[in-house]
Amino acid sequence: MRGEYCVGGASFLSFVALLLLIFVHVGQINTSLVPHGIAMAKVNTSGFGQALNESIFNPIGGLYTTNYTSPLGEHNGLRQFYDFGLYSYCAYVNSSAGTCTNHTIANNFEPYTAMKSDMLANYSQYSDSMFVNTTFVNSAYLAYNSRVAYYFILIGTIFATIALFTGVAKRALLFFVSTASSIMAALFILIGAAIWTSIVKKCEDINTLEISHLNGGVVSGIIVSYGNGIYLAWAAFACLAAATVPYMVSCCTFRG
Ligand SMILES: *[C@@H]1O[C@H](CO)[C@@H](O)[C@H](O)[C@H]1NC(C)=O
Ligand SMILES: *[C@@H]1O[C@H](CO)[C@@H](O)[C@H](O)[C@H]1NC(C)=O
Ligand SMILES: *[C@@H]1O[C@H](CO)[C@@H](O)[C@H](O)[C@H]1NC(C)=O
Ligand SMILES: *[C@@H]1O[C@H](CO)[C@@H](O)[C@H](O)[C@H]1NC(C)=O
């Protein structure tokens, strides 16, 4: 009887983990309510225009666009908010209206490339020199790490699915599979979440960067922050790690 409870508990935790991971995957695939609300990383560029204005003594015209449907990456103007998901990113002109890029497997997290591709070249020539040597502009580093993290999260999600479905079968061998899958899923999600946490943390160097010494110092006006997708991934890891205990107990005592 106790074994049944263990299986039930483990299955429940695996189910919750899988649900959380599905939410992580749908983040920013389009602008509808749920995907809009989930991101791995968020970049708020609202203060950048002002900062640029203060550091180059030129009124900034046409830096931002207010046309939320205009396509991204075509120098149509900067958006206020850039939210990055695992398959695409979306950019918003206010809290609700925005547009997304096409979907790609293992989409690269390149926040500065995204910003630059929307700005006119005469503005990005300033930001290129102001942001030099920050992790935020190191797109090659961020792209590589986000791709690696994506595959860890994808494989972790697959293992979590295997753990859930093999865990309900009443067979000793399958039970061993679900225990092993649960451990692997926890490990892969842990690594994926840790990589994402680390690269976003490093990008935060832009938040406090002084781009000019005029007026007693002008800060970049760009704010990078963790998206809730990272927290969802950590929560999924916690569920998967917790599920391994009842899976193991059931595996050894109930079915074994
Ligand atoms: C974006 O940053 C500005 C300051 O640069 C701040 O006033 C605003 O609240 C931020 N918006 C969000 C949604 O974080
Ligand atoms: C906004 O951008 C779209 C797509 O480029 C374009 O069709 C539309 O005319 C633009 N709207 C305004 C008000 O400029
Ligand atoms: C955001 O912008 C869109 C299009 O310009 C507008 O329709 C909408 O009311 C705005 N939303 C908010 C919350 O300002
Ligand atoms: C996005 O997809 C559309 C439709 O498939 C295509 O026409 C467009 O060129 C793509 N854009 C990019 C940047 O790949």
Side-chain angles (χ1 to χ4, degrees):
M1 205 52 208
R2 280 181 54 201
E4 297 280 9
Y5 285 128
C6 264
V7 182
S11 296
F12 176 73
L13 286 167
S14 300
F15 175 73
V16 172
L18 190 58
L19 210 59
L20 291 169
L21 289 170
I22 289 170
F23 279 116
V24 172
H25 283 276
V26 301
Q28 304 304 322
I29 58 171
N30 60 43
T31 58
S32 59
L33 198 63
V34 172
H36 178 184
I38 300 167
M40 302 306 280
K42 297 169 85 77
V43 179
N44 175 352
T45 69
S46 309
F48 177 59
Q50 176 74 26
L52 205 53
N53 220 353
E54 285 174 21
S55 34
I56 60 178
F57 285 131
N58 260 330
I60 302 298
L63 176 64
Y64 294 97
T65 180
T66 52
N67 184 354
Y68 73 96
T69 56
S70 76
L72 294 168
E74 297 180 5
H75 303 283
N76 289 332
L78 202 58
R79 323 295 150 111
Q80 315 272 337
F81 309 106
Y82 288 79
D83 289 358
F84 294 83
L86 292 179
Y87 299 91
S88 48
Y89 69 89
C90 302
Y92 303 87
V93 298
N94 61 27
S95 58
S96 59
T99 187
C100 301
T101 58
N102 288 348
H103 301 161
T104 356
I105 300 292
N107 184 44
N108 292 336
F109 172 53
E110 297 176 319
Y112 184 59
T113 304
M115 275 182 67
K116 209 173 146 170
S117 71
D118 284 339
M119 284 195 271
L120 298 173
N122 52 351
Y123 292 128
S124 52
Q125 86 198 13
Y126 290 113
S127 54
D128 277 347
S129 60
M130 287 163 171
F131 299 167
V132 73
N133 291 335
T134 57
T135 306
F136 182 74
V137 299
N138 192 347
S139 292
Y141 168 83
L142 296 172
Y144 174 75
N145 280 282
S146 60
R147 262 199 323 272
V148 170
Y150 167 78
Y151 285 112
F152 274 103
I153 292 175
L154 179 69
I155 295 168
T157 306
I158 293 168
F159 274 122
T161 312
I162 296 172
L164 178 62
F165 287 104
T166 53
V168 293
K170 291 187 183 288
R171 283 251 193 78
L173 176 65
L174 285 182
F175 229 71
F176 172 75
V177 173
S178 60
T179 308
S181 300
S182 186
I183 293 171
M184 292 305 283
L187 203 64
F188 275 81
I189 298 297
L190 169 70
I191 296 171
I195 295 174
W196 262 108
T197 305
S198 138
I199 57 178
V200 176
K201 177 84 202 146
K202 287 184 180 168
C203 274
E204 287 179 344
D205 63 1
I206 199 78
N207 298 5
T208 52
L209 180 79
E210 234 178 55
I211 58 173
S212 154
H213 297 298
L214 298 170
N215 308 321
V218 179
V219 177
S220 73
I222 296 172
I223 300 169
V224 176
S225 56
Y226 297 116
N228 50 9
I230 290 184
Y231 300 118
L232 294 178
W234 279 111
F237 158 71
C239 289
L240 290 164
T244 58
V245 177
Y247 271 135
M248 240 183 257
V249 171
S250 322
C251 180
C252 305
T253 62
F254 177 51
R255 316 284 168 118

